[in-house]
Amino acid sequence: MRLSLRFVLPLMLVLAGIAYAVAPMVDRLTLSWFVRDLDSRAALVANTLQEPLQEQLTAGRKAKTIEFFNRMTRDERLFAIGYCAAPTGKALATRSLPAEVRCDELKRWAGPSDHLLASDQGPLHVTVKRMASDAAPEGQLVLVQDMSFITRRSEETKQYLFYLFMGLAAVVSLITVIIAQLSWRGWVAGVRSLLHGEGLLRQPGSGAAPDLPGFKPIARDLQRLIRDLESDAHSRDENQITWSPESLRAILRGELRGEDIIVVSNREPYVHQRRGDRIEVQQPASGLVTAMEPIMRACSGTWIAHGSGSADRDVVDKHDRVAVPPQKPAYQIRRVWLSAEEEAGYYYGFANEGLWPLCHIAHVRPTFRSGDWAQYVAVNRKFAKAVASEAKTKDPIVLVQDYHFALLPKMIREELPDATVIAFWHIPWPNPESFAICPWRDEVLEGMLGSSILGFHTQSHCNNFVDTVDRFIEARVDRDSFTVSFGGRLTAVRRYPISIAWPPAAAMVEKAVPDCRSSIRQLNDLPPGHKLGVGVDRLDYTKGIVERFRAIERLLELNPGWIGRFTFVQVAAPTRAGIEEYQQHEAQVRAMATRINGRFTRQGPPPIVLKVEHHEPREVYEYFRAADFCFVSSLHDGMNLVAKEFVAARDDDCGVLILSQFTGAARELPEALIVNPYDADQCAAALHLALTMPAEEQRDRMRLMRGLVAEFNVFRWAGRMLLDAAAMRRRDRLNVKTGRAEA
Ligand code: ADQ
């Protein structure tokens, strides 16, 4: 309706304007037609009058002549008649003859276009006809005709013309609006069906789209183009954003406008521990926690995790929630309680003795037990129920973290079909042959494919996952868009390299580098100026600590000059101590450190200091700032955040990073000294190079690495996932509106 008014009103105005402009032209035209009629009428009247008039004149009957003229002028259009016998003298005429028409001025009316006389009685038409015959003297007959009827008709013509144009405008508008409406609907329907991959045309009356295979490639191209444009826009936007908690908050406000955000992980970001009659709060050593914590602070959502601390139950409310961080609460932890059997089967068993070694190529055999699997399924179900009870809307965004919850995406979807589930796998994904070892291979894959978006650190992990799905389950894999269609749902498999907060918290770097150097050396009984290397890890066999010690041993073998002049401090956080493999690994690491120290300690400091105990992040940063180099020698690692933390800690642009080629981080930090941890000689050479590298080269390498970590920080990691989730939700809502579900 609004469209019609918007179109019809201007059209009416335009046509009224045209009518107004055209009317005078039409007036002139009709006037000339009427004047021509009057001329010929005058000629006819003159011819008719000639004979009787001449008879009267010849008979000299002037009174009779005037009476004759009066009779003739009863015709309403013949206004007056006169006769001039000579150019001088008075005319023999009816009384109505206008005073302007005089016998001595008859020439004035003689021309072809000089017939009009504007008199007090209105417009008049004057015709002068010469009358001559053999029987009568020559004279001039004057016929004056009334033209007021022409004016009347001209007014009527203008009126008709106006009504005609208005009518025309109405008809034209109506037809145009009908055609426009029809073609708009048709066009919209056409584009809609084209976007949906259907044909443009519909069978008349059927409502069903015909199958027009010819159109499908166009539709696919168009869909792909839209996707490309969207992702282009994203990457453009992404590059323009300076990623920080504020920009992440702006995305949450702008793109996700107060959407309900829930994180699920096994490890909680804050653990409450009882120490005598005091309760202490600890932050666990975990890459996942390091990454997610700043995001939760930014978005104030709910973090669901296993309540594992000895005082965790003492601090929660009746809904098992506690606000954190303790000093400045910004979000809620919802704690889920697990029994000892559940924890043994789900966490130690299936997750850490099964999936962890399965996904890492670290030469430790995975162990799969059906009892562990049953607990894994039950605990995943328990967390799915917790998600459903914490959800404030029917379509929250749920960020599922890591290999502890492979089944959770599918289970969440059963509870909340409209949720957007983003699952992130923090560890590597192996090739299909390795993964095939898992007896519940298909269930794990199907569980993960409940995700809307499934993230890995590197493209090769994405490739491995898609290859595994393609090999083992009935799903449609699209390698162009990297999506998997399974059970009527689409999962996008994406690379999101994780990172750390940038800039690091002020508290981490407030102690000056020279102060850190001296205090750490004092703490470990090392002389000032003593060369120092550090390793910071969970005491996990994937971190390559044994290989690291072997490389140090090799360095001292090859370059004995370093004996007594260099010490390596390994800060190792105890982890998964309930698993035999980890107990053996710890024993092996301890024995190796003792053996190497025994072999190379003459006088002075030992080559290796092993600290198997928990350290707070501030203490870890102090070690990073005190060291000449940091050695990351993982045998296989999804990303490895320690490498990025070392770079972030070095705001003095000094220090060397030695980095295993088998970490995700090696792809992002090529300025590190990249090594194969299995190659002891190569690692020893890298250690020597690090100990002797000129400050200038250290600075050049460190600046490049700091630039990368600053730009690709953890806010970008989370922001990209959330932007993708927001785009996906917009697309889903559009599909619902247009009546089409994602296939
Ligand atoms: P992790 O295997 O735990 O993470 P990593 O990424 O290096 O490995 O993160 C460890 C975190 O714990 C770091 O923040 C580090 O500072 C801290 N940490 C390590 N040892 C510590 C110690 N001794 N004392 C105190 N803190 C310590 C998993 C994957 C990685 C992936 C992350 C994030 O295995 O590949 O990078 O998740 O996705």
Side-chain angles (χ1 to χ4, degrees), residues 491-530:
T491 302
V493 181
R494 296 275 179 274
R495 181 181 80 97
Y496 300 106
I498 205 168
S499 195
I500 55 168
W502 187 279
M508 302 291 164
V509 288
E510 69 188 355
K511 190 165 176 179
V513 167
D515 296 344
C516 294
R517 287 181 72 88
S518 58
S519 63
I520 290 293
R521 281 169 177 75
Q522 261 176 27
L523 186 72
N524 290 283
D525 296 326
L526 305 173
H530 190 75

Side-chain angles (χ1 to χ4, degrees), residues 306 313 336-346 375 379 382:
H306 169 210
R313 284 179 193 264
V336 173
W337 314 115
L338 299 182
S339 66
E341 299 76 56
E342 283 174 325
E343 197 178 353
Y346 138 84
Q375 295 293 0
V379 171
K382 202 173 203 177

Side-chain angles (χ1 to χ4, degrees), residues 110-160:
S113 55
D114 302 335
H115 302 285
L116 302 185
L117 169 64
S119 74
D120 299 342
Q121 288 86 3
L124 299 169
H125 180 267
V126 181
T127 317
V128 178
K129 291 278 176 195
R130 200 168 69 84
M131 302 203 71
S133 79
D134 300 342
E138 187 177 307
Q140 309 270 4
L141 180 65
V142 181
L143 295 167
V144 180
Q145 296 183 79
D146 185 0
M147 283 181 74
S148 59
F149 79 97
I150 295 178
T151 318
R152 267 196 322 274
R153 282 193 188 166
S154 164
E155 282 304 317
E156 281 167 15
T157 312
K158 271 192 224 160
Q159 262 179 26
Y160 284 134

Side-chain angles (χ1 to χ4, degrees), residues 191-209:
V191 169
R192 194 179 291 163
S193 52
L194 190 63
L195 285 176
H196 289 168
E198 296 161 4
L200 270 175
L201 305 172
R202 286 181 181 271
Q203 308 282 26
S206 76

Side-chain angles (χ1 to χ4, degrees), residues 275-354:
R275 299 264 180 265
D277 46 2
R278 272 190 325 114
I279 292 177
E280 245 177 37
V281 185
Q282 269 186 3
Q283 277 192 271
S286 146
L288 182 157
V289 169
T290 310
M292 291 309 297
E293 154 76 359
I295 288 142
M296 286 311 276
R297 285 184 194 225
C299 75
S300 310
T302 305
W303 187 326
I304 303 176
H306 169 210
S308 58
S310 53
D312 274 358
R313 284 179 193 264
D314 302 337
V315 294
V316 293
D317 64 13
K318 64 177 192 294
H319 303 290
D320 299 326
R321 296 188 196 123
V322 59
V324 288
Q327 314 77 26
K328 198 179 168 201
Y331 65 94
Q332 299 269 343
I333 298 180
R334 156 74 194 276
R335 285 177 169 147
V336 173
W337 314 115
L338 299 182
S339 66
E341 299 76 56
E342 283 174 325
E343 197 178 353
Y346 138 84
Y347 178 73
Y348 290 107
F350 192 75
N352 284 315
E353 287 191 275

Side-chain angles (χ1 to χ4, degrees), residues 284-288 290-291 356 360 402 424 426-427 457 498 536-538 543 571-573 613-616 620 624 637-642 645:
S286 146
L288 182 157
T290 310
W356 178 270
H360 288 91
D402 230 350
F424 192 79
H426 289 259
I427 62 177
H457 292 302
I498 205 168
V536 177
D537 310 79
R538 287 182 303 100
K543 301 297 177 184
V571 181
E613 62 201 64
H614 178 81
H615 285 74
E616 287 300 315
V620 169
F624 285 147
D637 217 330
M639 175 56 69
N640 192 284
L641 293 180
V642 168
E645 285 170 352

